[in-house]
Amino acid sequence: MSTALRIAHGAFGRVALLDMDESLVRHAHPHCHVLLKVEGADTQFVVGDAVYPLTDDTAVLVNGWQPHSYVHNPERPRTVILALYIEPEWLTAFRPGWAASGAPGFFSHPSGDVSPHIRNLAMNLAADMVARPEARAAHEALLSDLMIAVIERFTPWRSFPASIREMSARGGDWRIRKAAASMRSEAGRDAALDSFARDAGLSRSHFFRLFEASVGVPPKVYLNVVRMEKAVDAVLNRSVNISEISHQLGFAEPAHFTRFFRNHSGVSPREFRNVSRLAS
């Protein structure tokens, strides 16, 4: 069973040090998502429709809203992974153009060779999170150096102000924007995706095609992202019990919520909460 060794969270987003021996379902994040191997067996992720290795020398780089999954080989040993979920707004303190870090295409390729400098920063951050879980300022300083090194190595970031203008001009279909807003505001609504299609005045097949073309992910993945981010926020920042969070997010049983959370994060919501509190 996969375990969380440490979890840190703050304005930067969150950083999880995960000891993995289970696969994760296909999912997405609204963050700039970077995966670095710390120790254990080499492993792999599926990003989009292709498989990319995660090794001592190779990172996996996932753009915001890009579907991906973790594929664990049960015949191989566990892998300790440093998983970064970074808020685009936090990165603007370093470069205004890095506001696009949550947008498609920020990382030009889902895999890249790790420099000795990046490897050293990742190992230092992982070791300090384990040794000093309460040293939040030090962890954020290490994370800042690591993300600057990653972005400068793996992205064409100087071109991104133009990409932001293009994204703003595109806008997307107003019916899909309305449906996405409904999903965000009604994450606990016990409704099939067909109901969002009806509310948008579209057939199911047209809604699915138009949603993925406009947003970049299928509506089911988008709704799961919204539910997962709301779940993480509640687990980290609210004192209510897990059963109450499960109910508020529309799960029929707490066990269903726990399975959903584990399938997306690798650990149960209770473990996620307990480990994150080590840094408080």
Side-chain angles (χ1 to χ4, degrees):
M1 182 178 293
S2 298
T3 59
L5 302 178
R6 291 290 186 270
I7 295 170
H9 61 97
F12 52 83
R14 60 185 182 269
V15 178
L17 189 61
L18 304 169
D19 192 0
M20 301 291 291
D21 69 351
E22 291 179 318
S23 296
L24 299 179
V25 297
R26 185 174 171 85
H27 61 288
H29 307 284
H31 307 95
C32 173
H33 188 32
V34 178
L35 298 146
L36 296 156
K37 179 189 159 188
V38 174
E39 64 181 50
D42 291 346
T43 189
Q44 58 190 11
F45 281 77
V46 175
V47 183
D49 297 317
V51 178
Y52 297 94
L54 182 68
T55 72
D56 291 335
D57 304 314
T58 307
V60 173
L61 311 157
V62 184
N63 289 311
W65 298 103
Q66 188 171 24
H68 59 286
S69 60
Y70 175 54
V71 183
H72 180 78
N73 183 342
E75 297 180 358
R76 305 199 71 184
R78 304 165 71 98
T79 306
V80 177
I81 298 172
L82 185 67
L84 314 179
Y85 309 80
I86 305 302
E87 292 286 355
E89 292 80 5
W90 181 73
L91 289 171
T92 61
F94 307 109
R95 301 280 191 281
W98 291 359
S101 59
F106 186 69
F107 292 120
S108 55
H109 193 267
S111 180
D113 293 336
V114 173
S115 67
H117 180 54
I118 290 174
R119 173 77 178 160
N120 186 56
L121 289 169
M123 294 300 291
N124 285 346
L125 176 57
D128 207 43
M129 287 175 66
V130 170
R132 301 190 302 156
E134 76 289 348
R136 301 177 68 171
H139 299 160
E140 185 164 351
L142 282 167
L143 178 63
S144 300
D145 291 341
L146 176 57
M147 284 307 302
I148 290 169
V150 165
I151 291 173
E152 290 189 338
R153 182 169 179 83
F154 295 124
T155 73
W157 59 268
R158 290 177 180 82
S159 69
F160 268 86
S163 298
I164 293 172
R165 288 195 295 271
E166 291 165 8
M167 288 170 59
S168 177
R170 280 202 304 267
D173 189 283
W174 68 271
R175 295 166 296 183
I176 299 303
R177 292 200 303 272
K178 181 179 177 182
S182 294
M183 290 180 187
R184 293 193 299 272
S185 64
E186 303 174 46
R189 172 180 169 188
D190 185 16
L193 288 170
D194 289 3
S195 68
F196 291 105
R198 287 194 299 272
D199 291 348
L202 299 167
S203 69
R204 186 179 191 277
S205 59
H206 190 194
F207 174 73
F208 273 61
R209 286 196 302 270
L210 192 58
F211 194 101
E212 186 162 6
S214 299
V215 179
V217 295
K220 179 63 173 177
V221 171
Y222 185 88
L223 184 57
N224 282 344
V225 170
V226 170
R227 295 178 98 186
M228 186 62 189
E229 289 305 311
K230 287 182 178 293
V232 168
D233 179 67
V235 167
L236 290 178
N237 300 314
R238 297 174 59 197
S239 59
V240 296
N241 62 41
I242 300 302
S243 295
E244 180 62 21
I245 296 171
S246 169
H247 175 72
Q248 291 173 0
L249 290 175
F251 289 90
E253 299 287 343
H256 297 171
F257 170 62
T258 294
R259 183 167 58 250
F260 170 85
F261 198 100
R262 179 180 289 282
N263 286 342
H264 284 77
S265 72
V267 298
S268 72
R270 186 165 283 104
E271 181 182 357
F272 196 95
R273 170 179 278 174
N274 290 341
V275 173
S276 71
R277 286 177 174 172
L278 292 173
S280 298

PDB file of all heavy atoms in Angstrom, residues 86-109:
ATOM      1  N   ILE A  86       2.128  22.875  -8.174  1.00  0.00           N
ATOM      2  CA  ILE A  86       2.505  24.272  -7.937  1.00  0.00           C
ATOM      3  C   ILE A  86       1.466  25.232  -8.511  1.00  0.00           C
ATOM      4  O   ILE A  86       1.075  25.135  -9.684  1.00  0.00           O
ATOM      5  CB  ILE A  86       3.893  24.556  -8.556  1.00  0.00           C
ATOM      6  CG1 ILE A  86       4.922  23.551  -8.017  1.00  0.00           C
ATOM      7  CG2 ILE A  86       4.303  25.985  -8.254  1.00  0.00           C
ATOM      8  CD1 ILE A  86       5.076  23.524  -6.511  1.00  0.00           C
ATOM      9  N   GLU A  87       1.051  26.186  -7.681  1.00  0.00           N
ATOM     10  CA  GLU A  87       0.063  27.187  -8.093  1.00  0.00           C
ATOM     11  C   GLU A  87       0.696  28.196  -9.054  1.00  0.00           C
ATOM     12  O   GLU A  87       1.742  28.790  -8.740  1.00  0.00           O
ATOM     13  CB  GLU A  87      -0.467  27.932  -6.871  1.00  0.00           C
ATOM     14  CG  GLU A  87      -1.320  27.086  -5.937  1.00  0.00           C
ATOM     15  CD  GLU A  87      -2.695  26.801  -6.505  1.00  0.00           C
ATOM     16  OE1 GLU A  87      -3.031  27.329  -7.587  1.00  0.00           O
ATOM     17  OE2 GLU A  87      -3.439  26.047  -5.854  1.00  0.00           O
ATOM     18  N   PRO A  88       0.074  28.414 -10.219  1.00  0.00           N
ATOM     19  CA  PRO A  88       0.617  29.391 -11.170  1.00  0.00           C
ATOM     20  C   PRO A  88       0.777  30.787 -10.573  1.00  0.00           C
ATOM     21  O   PRO A  88       1.748  31.492 -10.871  1.00  0.00           O
ATOM     22  CB  PRO A  88      -0.411  29.377 -12.307  1.00  0.00           C
ATOM     23  CG  PRO A  88      -1.010  28.007 -12.243  1.00  0.00           C
ATOM     24  CD  PRO A  88      -1.071  27.672 -10.777  1.00  0.00           C
ATOM     25  N   GLU A  89      -0.164  31.185  -9.696  1.00  0.00           N
ATOM     26  CA  GLU A  89      -0.092  32.532  -9.120  1.00  0.00           C
ATOM     27  C   GLU A  89       1.178  32.709  -8.281  1.00  0.00           C
ATOM     28  O   GLU A  89       1.776  33.788  -8.260  1.00  0.00           O
ATOM     29  CB  GLU A  89      -1.326  32.797  -8.255  1.00  0.00           C
ATOM     30  CG  GLU A  89      -2.631  32.901  -9.027  1.00  0.00           C
ATOM     31  CD  GLU A  89      -3.220  31.549  -9.390  1.00  0.00           C
ATOM     32  OE1 GLU A  89      -2.655  30.499  -8.948  1.00  0.00           O
ATOM     33  OE2 GLU A  89      -4.223  31.517 -10.127  1.00  0.00           O
ATOM     34  N   TRP A  90       1.586  31.661  -7.602  1.00  0.00           N
ATOM     35  CA  TRP A  90       2.795  31.733  -6.777  1.00  0.00           C
ATOM     36  C   TRP A  90       4.020  31.947  -7.645  1.00  0.00           C
ATOM     37  O   TRP A  90       4.952  32.680  -7.269  1.00  0.00           O
ATOM     38  CB  TRP A  90       2.923  30.449  -5.958  1.00  0.00           C
ATOM     39  CG  TRP A  90       4.111  30.383  -5.048  1.00  0.00           C
ATOM     40  CD1 TRP A  90       4.301  31.065  -3.878  1.00  0.00           C
ATOM     41  CD2 TRP A  90       5.282  29.567  -5.230  1.00  0.00           C
ATOM     42  NE1 TRP A  90       5.515  30.727  -3.310  1.00  0.00           N
ATOM     43  CE2 TRP A  90       6.138  29.801  -4.105  1.00  0.00           C
ATOM     44  CE3 TRP A  90       5.691  28.654  -6.196  1.00  0.00           C
ATOM     45  CZ2 TRP A  90       7.369  29.166  -3.969  1.00  0.00           C
ATOM     46  CZ3 TRP A  90       6.913  28.008  -6.056  1.00  0.00           C
ATOM     47  CH2 TRP A  90       7.741  28.266  -4.951  1.00  0.00           C
ATOM     48  N   LEU A  91       4.035  31.335  -8.824  1.00  0.00           N
ATOM     49  CA  LEU A  91       5.196  31.437  -9.708  1.00  0.00           C
ATOM     50  C   LEU A  91       5.349  32.823 -10.335  1.00  0.00           C
ATOM     51  O   LEU A  91       6.442  33.169 -10.803  1.00  0.00           O
ATOM     52  CB  LEU A  91       5.117  30.382 -10.814  1.00  0.00           C
ATOM     53  CG  LEU A  91       5.336  28.933 -10.349  1.00  0.00           C
ATOM     54  CD1 LEU A  91       5.013  27.974 -11.479  1.00  0.00           C
ATOM     55  CD2 LEU A  91       6.768  28.724  -9.865  1.00  0.00           C
ATOM     56  N   THR A  92       4.285  33.621 -10.341  1.00  0.00           N
ATOM     57  CA  THR A  92       4.403  34.959 -10.927  1.00  0.00           C
ATOM     58  C   THR A  92       5.335  35.860 -10.132  1.00  0.00           C
ATOM     59  O   THR A  92       5.781  36.899 -10.625  1.00  0.00           O
ATOM     60  CB  THR A  92       3.022  35.644 -11.049  1.00  0.00           C
ATOM     61  OG1 THR A  92       2.450  35.787  -9.744  1.00  0.00           O
ATOM     62  CG2 THR A  92       2.093  34.839 -11.935  1.00  0.00           C
ATOM     63  N   ALA A  93       5.624  35.490  -8.874  1.00  0.00           N
ATOM     64  CA  ALA A  93       6.582  36.274  -8.091  1.00  0.00           C
ATOM     65  C   ALA A  93       7.979  36.206  -8.694  1.00  0.00           C
ATOM     66  O   ALA A  93       8.804  37.095  -8.471  1.00  0.00           O
ATOM     67  CB  ALA A  93       6.605  35.776  -6.644  1.00  0.00           C
ATOM     68  N   PHE A  94       8.245  35.161  -9.480  1.00  0.00           N
ATOM     69  CA  PHE A  94       9.561  34.992 -10.092  1.00  0.00           C
ATOM     70  C   PHE A  94       9.594  35.546 -11.516  1.00  0.00           C
ATOM     71  O   PHE A  94      10.543  36.225 -11.897  1.00  0.00           O
ATOM     72  CB  PHE A  94       9.936  33.503 -10.100  1.00  0.00           C
ATOM     73  CG  PHE A  94       9.831  32.859  -8.754  1.00  0.00           C
ATOM     74  CD1 PHE A  94       8.829  31.953  -8.470  1.00  0.00           C
ATOM     75  CD2 PHE A  94      10.727  33.179  -7.737  1.00  0.00           C
ATOM     76  CE1 PHE A  94       8.723  31.358  -7.224  1.00  0.00           C
ATOM     77  CE2 PHE A  94      10.624  32.598  -6.488  1.00  0.00           C
ATOM     78  CZ  PHE A  94       9.623  31.692  -6.228  1.00  0.00           C
ATOM     79  N   ARG A  95       8.550  35.271 -12.303  1.00  0.00           N
ATOM     80  CA  ARG A  95       8.442  35.793 -13.666  1.00  0.00           C
ATOM     81  C   ARG A  95       6.960  35.996 -13.965  1.00  0.00           C
ATOM     82  O   ARG A  95       6.173  35.057 -13.812  1.00  0.00           O
ATOM     83  CB  ARG A  95       8.999  34.810 -14.701  1.00  0.00           C
ATOM     84  CG  ARG A  95      10.461  34.424 -14.542  1.00  0.00           C
ATOM     85  CD  ARG A  95      11.409  35.492 -15.090  1.00  0.00           C
ATOM     86  NE  ARG A  95      12.772  34.986 -15.165  1.00  0.00           N
ATOM     87  CZ  ARG A  95      13.615  34.876 -14.144  1.00  0.00           C
ATOM     88  NH1 ARG A  95      13.202  35.241 -12.937  1.00  0.00           N
ATOM     89  NH2 ARG A  95      14.838  34.418 -14.303  1.00  0.00           N
ATOM     90  N   PRO A  96       6.531  37.193 -14.435  1.00  0.00           N
ATOM     91  CA  PRO A  96       5.114  37.382 -14.760  1.00  0.00           C
ATOM     92  C   PRO A  96       4.597  36.372 -15.778  1.00  0.00           C
ATOM     93  O   PRO A  96       3.462  35.905 -15.690  1.00  0.00           O
ATOM     94  CB  PRO A  96       5.076  38.814 -15.316  1.00  0.00           C
ATOM     95  CG  PRO A  96       6.232  39.490 -14.665  1.00  0.00           C
ATOM     96  CD  PRO A  96       7.305  38.443 -14.547  1.00  0.00           C
ATOM     97  N   GLY A  97       5.446  36.000 -16.744  1.00  0.00           N
ATOM     98  CA  GLY A  97       5.028  35.045 -17.770  1.00  0.00           C
ATOM     99  C   GLY A  97       4.739  33.664 -17.236  1.00  0.00           C
ATOM    100  O   GLY A  97       4.079  32.861 -17.901  1.00  0.00           O
ATOM    101  N   TRP A  98       5.202  33.383 -16.023  1.00  0.00           N
ATOM    102  CA  TRP A  98       4.976  32.054 -15.460  1.00  0.00           C
ATOM    103  C   TRP A  98       3.554  31.880 -14.931  1.00  0.00           C
ATOM    104  O   TRP A  98       3.203  30.816 -14.442  1.00  0.00           O
ATOM    105  CB  TRP A  98       6.000  31.756 -14.367  1.00  0.00           C
ATOM    106  CG  TRP A  98       7.388  31.593 -14.917  1.00  0.00           C
ATOM    107  CD1 TRP A  98       7.767  31.673 -16.230  1.00  0.00           C
ATOM    108  CD2 TRP A  98       8.583  31.345 -14.180  1.00  0.00           C
ATOM    109  NE1 TRP A  98       9.126  31.486 -16.360  1.00  0.00           N
ATOM    110  CE2 TRP A  98       9.653  31.275 -15.114  1.00  0.00           C
ATOM    111  CE3 TRP A  98       8.868  31.175 -12.836  1.00  0.00           C
ATOM    112  CZ2 TRP A  98      10.972  31.053 -14.742  1.00  0.00           C
ATOM    113  CZ3 TRP A  98      10.183  30.943 -12.449  1.00  0.00           C
ATOM    114  CH2 TRP A  98      11.223  30.874 -13.391  1.00  0.00           C
ATOM    115  N   ALA A  99       2.726  32.908 -15.087  1.00  0.00           N
ATOM    116  CA  ALA A  99       1.295  32.743 -14.828  1.00  0.00           C
ATOM    117  C   ALA A  99       0.695  31.696 -15.753  1.00  0.00           C
ATOM    118  O   ALA A  99      -0.342  31.097 -15.447  1.00  0.00           O
ATOM    119  CB  ALA A  99       0.563  34.071 -15.014  1.00  0.00           C
ATOM    120  N   ALA A 100       1.357  31.453 -16.879  1.00  0.00           N
ATOM    121  CA  ALA A 100       0.888  30.455 -17.841  1.00  0.00           C
ATOM    122  C   ALA A 100       1.285  29.040 -17.461  1.00  0.00           C
ATOM    123  O   ALA A 100       1.054  28.111 -18.230  1.00  0.00           O
ATOM    124  CB  ALA A 100       1.435  30.786 -19.233  1.00  0.00           C
ATOM    125  N   SER A 101       1.863  28.848 -16.282  1.00  0.00           N
ATOM    126  CA  SER A 101       2.329  27.516 -15.897  1.00  0.00           C
ATOM    127  C   SER A 101       1.189  26.531 -15.678  1.00  0.00           C
ATOM    128  O   SER A 101       1.416  25.324 -15.612  1.00  0.00           O
ATOM    129  CB  SER A 101       3.181  27.598 -14.622  1.00  0.00           C
ATOM    130  OG  SER A 101       2.437  28.155 -13.554  1.00  0.00           O
ATOM    131  N   GLY A 102      -0.037  27.025 -15.568  1.00  0.00           N
ATOM    132  CA  GLY A 102      -1.176  26.126 -15.481  1.00  0.00           C
ATOM    133  C   GLY A 102      -1.856  25.891 -16.804  1.00  0.00           C
ATOM    134  O   GLY A 102      -2.915  25.273 -16.858  1.00  0.00           O
ATOM    135  N   ALA A 103      -1.246  26.374 -17.890  1.00  0.00           N
ATOM    136  CA  ALA A 103      -1.866  26.310 -19.209  1.00  0.00           C
ATOM    137  C   ALA A 103      -1.279  25.182 -20.054  1.00  0.00           C
ATOM    138  O   ALA A 103      -0.148  24.746 -19.824  1.00  0.00           O
ATOM    139  CB  ALA A 103      -1.667  27.644 -19.932  1.00  0.00           C
ATOM    140  N   PRO A 104      -2.026  24.714 -21.055  1.00  0.00           N
ATOM    141  CA  PRO A 104      -1.483  23.711 -21.971  1.00  0.00           C
ATOM    142  C   PRO A 104      -0.227  24.217 -22.663  1.00  0.00           C
ATOM    143  O   PRO A 104      -0.126  25.395 -23.011  1.00  0.00           O
ATOM    144  CB  PRO A 104      -2.625  23.513 -22.984  1.00  0.00           C
ATOM    145  CG  PRO A 104      -3.862  23.948 -22.264  1.00  0.00           C
ATOM    146  CD  PRO A 104      -3.422  25.062 -21.359  1.00  0.00           C
ATOM    147  N   GLY A 105       0.741  23.325 -22.819  1.00  0.00           N
ATOM    148  CA  GLY A 105       1.941  23.666 -23.569  1.00  0.00           C
ATOM    149  C   GLY A 105       3.032  24.344 -22.782  1.00  0.00           C
ATOM    150  O   GLY A 105       4.064  24.693 -23.354  1.00  0.00           O
ATOM    151  N   PHE A 106       2.833  24.576 -21.476  1.00  0.00           N
ATOM    152  CA  PHE A 106       3.889  25.238 -20.709  1.00  0.00           C
ATOM    153  C   PHE A 106       5.156  24.390 -20.709  1.00  0.00           C
ATOM    154  O   PHE A 106       6.248  24.886 -20.970  1.00  0.00           O
ATOM    155  CB  PHE A 106       3.419  25.506 -19.280  1.00  0.00           C
ATOM    156  CG  PHE A 106       4.397  26.312 -18.468  1.00  0.00           C
ATOM    157  CD1 PHE A 106       4.620  27.650 -18.756  1.00  0.00           C
ATOM    158  CD2 PHE A 106       5.089  25.734 -17.407  1.00  0.00           C
ATOM    159  CE1 PHE A 106       5.523  28.404 -18.011  1.00  0.00           C
ATOM    160  CE2 PHE A 106       5.985  26.479 -16.660  1.00  0.00           C
ATOM    161  CZ  PHE A 106       6.203  27.816 -16.964  1.00  0.00           C
ATOM    162  N   PHE A 107       5.010  23.113 -20.418  1.00  0.00           N
ATOM    163  CA  PHE A 107       6.112  22.178 -20.629  1.00  0.00           C
ATOM    164  C   PHE A 107       6.015  21.669 -22.063  1.00  0.00           C
ATOM    165  O   PHE A 107       4.985  21.142 -22.473  1.00  0.00           O
ATOM    166  CB  PHE A 107       6.049  20.997 -19.655  1.00  0.00           C
ATOM    167  CG  PHE A 107       6.309  21.366 -18.233  1.00  0.00           C
ATOM    168  CD1 PHE A 107       5.357  21.148 -17.252  1.00  0.00           C
ATOM    169  CD2 PHE A 107       7.524  21.935 -17.852  1.00  0.00           C
ATOM    170  CE1 PHE A 107       5.597  21.488 -15.923  1.00  0.00           C
ATOM    171  CE2 PHE A 107       7.774  22.279 -16.528  1.00  0.00           C
ATOM    172  CZ  PHE A 107       6.811  22.054 -15.570  1.00  0.00           C
ATOM    173  N   SER A 108       7.076  21.829 -22.814  1.00  0.00           N
ATOM    174  CA  SER A 108       7.030  21.457 -24.226  1.00  0.00           C
ATOM    175  C   SER A 108       7.040  19.954 -24.433  1.00  0.00           C
ATOM    176  O   SER A 108       6.639  19.468 -25.502  1.00  0.00           O
ATOM    177  CB  SER A 108       8.196  22.102 -24.981  1.00  0.00           C
ATOM    178  OG  SER A 108       9.429  21.770 -24.359  1.00  0.00           O
ATOM    179  N   HIS A 109       7.471  19.190 -23.427  1.00  0.00           N
ATOM    180  CA  HIS A 109       7.501  17.730 -23.538  1.00  0.00           C
ATOM    181  C   HIS A 109       7.278  17.143 -22.139  1.00  0.00           C
ATOM    182  O   HIS A 109       7.736  17.717 -21.146  1.00  0.00           O
ATOM    183  CB  HIS A 109       8.853  17.262 -24.101  1.00  0.00           C
ATOM    184  CG  HIS A 109       8.854  15.836 -24.538  1.00  0.00           C
ATOM    185  ND1 HIS A 109       9.238  14.805 -23.712  1.00  0.00           N
ATOM    186  CD2 HIS A 109       8.504  15.250 -25.717  1.00  0.00           C
ATOM    187  CE1 HIS A 109       9.133  13.660 -24.355  1.00  0.00           C
ATOM    188  NE2 HIS A 109       8.688  13.893 -25.567  1.00  0.00           N
TER     189      HIS A 109
END
